[in-house]
């Protein structure tokens, strides 16, 4: 789905903006305010302390603009959201501006001009043992693993795709988040 690609490439602010736009297009705005609030709480929980005050202020403006847009369908509020989105991007909060185009730069190696994902693991016959891929950048790891507002990296998605297509009979995870 294109909205998932937006979330991975451009980050959670682009995602909530697109989700709000779609809600208006589909005339399905009854619960979007609660969705925006939930999204805000998840993103704020991930803000690093050094960016917290400035980022939180911009995110609050984003929430207000999107709620006004989804309740009134007035495009001027969506344009206001876009302005706040640009302000947020300028803050350059690590991990919250998306991962860019695939393959990104997380766990990627270049060989002879071609980028490859690094998927660490050991192979024993038809068994592949691997650590769980890092879901994002070093943040509050407990919040990050349970956060639906921030998409995992391209490498995370590629690792699971690889394991599901090459070793598709079973996956076993041990410990908390495979630790």
């Amino acid at each position: 789905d294109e909205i998932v690609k937006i979330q991975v490439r451009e980050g959670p602010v682009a995602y909530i903006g697109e989700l709000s736009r779609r809600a208006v297009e589909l005339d399905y705005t009854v619960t979007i305010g609660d969705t925006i609030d939930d999204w805000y709480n998840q993103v704020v929980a991930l803000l690093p302390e050094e960016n917290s005050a400035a980022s939180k202020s911009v995110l609050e403006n984003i929430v207000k603009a999107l709620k006004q847009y989804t309740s009134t369908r007035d495009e001027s509020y969506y344009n206001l959201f876009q302005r706040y989105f640009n302000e947020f991007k300028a803050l350059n909060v690590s991990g919250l501006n998306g991962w860019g185009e695939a393959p990104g730069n997380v766990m990627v190696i270049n060989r002879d001009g071609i980028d490859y994902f690094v998927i660490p693991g050991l192979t024993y016959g038809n068994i592949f043992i691997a650590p769980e891929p890092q879901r994002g950048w070093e943040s509050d790891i407990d919040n990050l693993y349970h956060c639906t507002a921030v998409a995992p990296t391209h490498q995370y998605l590629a690792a699971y795709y690889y394991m599901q297509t090459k070793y598709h009979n079973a996956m076993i995870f041990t410990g908390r988040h495979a630790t």
Side-chain angles (χ1 to χ4, degrees):
D1 188 3
E2 190 57 33
I3 197 166
V4 174
K5 292 176 185 175
I6 288 170
Q7 185 182 28
V8 174
R9 280 191 321 258
E10 300 175 43
V13 177
Y15 165 79
I16 199 65
E18 182 62 21
L19 188 66
S20 298
R21 184 177 273 307
R22 287 190 184 189
V24 167
E25 287 173 2
L26 297 170
D27 196 26
Y28 190 75
T29 57
V30 173
T31 61
I32 193 68
D34 292 337
T35 302
I36 292 168
D37 288 337
D38 182 53
W39 169 88
Y40 170 80
N41 291 329
Q42 289 186 55
V43 172
V44 166
L46 294 171
L47 290 173
E49 284 187 38
E50 66 272 9
N51 290 74
S52 186
S55 299
K56 195 172 180 181
S57 174
V58 176
L59 288 170
E60 287 169 357
N61 289 333
I62 285 169
V63 166
K64 287 177 195 171
L66 287 176
K67 284 184 168 185
Q68 286 291 336
Y69 169 63
T70 57
S71 66
T72 66
R73 292 163 174 71
D74 182 340
E75 284 292 318
S76 66
Y77 289 112
Y78 191 81
N79 295 335
L80 186 59
F81 154 75
Q82 291 285 13
R83 194 181 95 209
Y84 292 134
F85 179 28
N86 289 330
E87 283 182 35
F88 186 80
K89 285 191 286 191
L91 294 172
N92 200 26
V93 181
S94 179
L96 293 181
N97 283 325
W99 306 112
E101 294 295 328
N105 60 6
V106 176
M107 299 285 287
V108 174
I109 188 168
N110 186 287
R111 297 266 166 90
D112 299 322
I114 300 172
D115 288 331
Y116 297 93
F117 289 110
V118 175
I119 302 174
L122 302 169
T123 303
Y124 297 98
N126 64 349
I127 297 172
F128 181 68
I129 300 172
E132 183 173 27
Q134 182 70 13
R135 197 172 179 289
W137 77 110
E138 292 300 325
S139 178
D140 180 340
I141 215 69
D142 286 336
N143 277 337
L144 184 61
Y145 271 99
H146 299 285
C147 181
T148 58
V150 177
T153 66
H154 295 291
Q155 188 271 347
Y156 180 96
L157 298 170
Y160 277 102
Y161 178 79
Y162 172 76
M163 288 184 272
Q164 288 174 344
T165 56
K166 180 113 171 114
Y167 300 96
H168 60 272
N169 289 331
M171 273 193 225
I172 300 170
F173 297 96
T174 59
R176 185 170 180 233
H177 301 299
T179 57

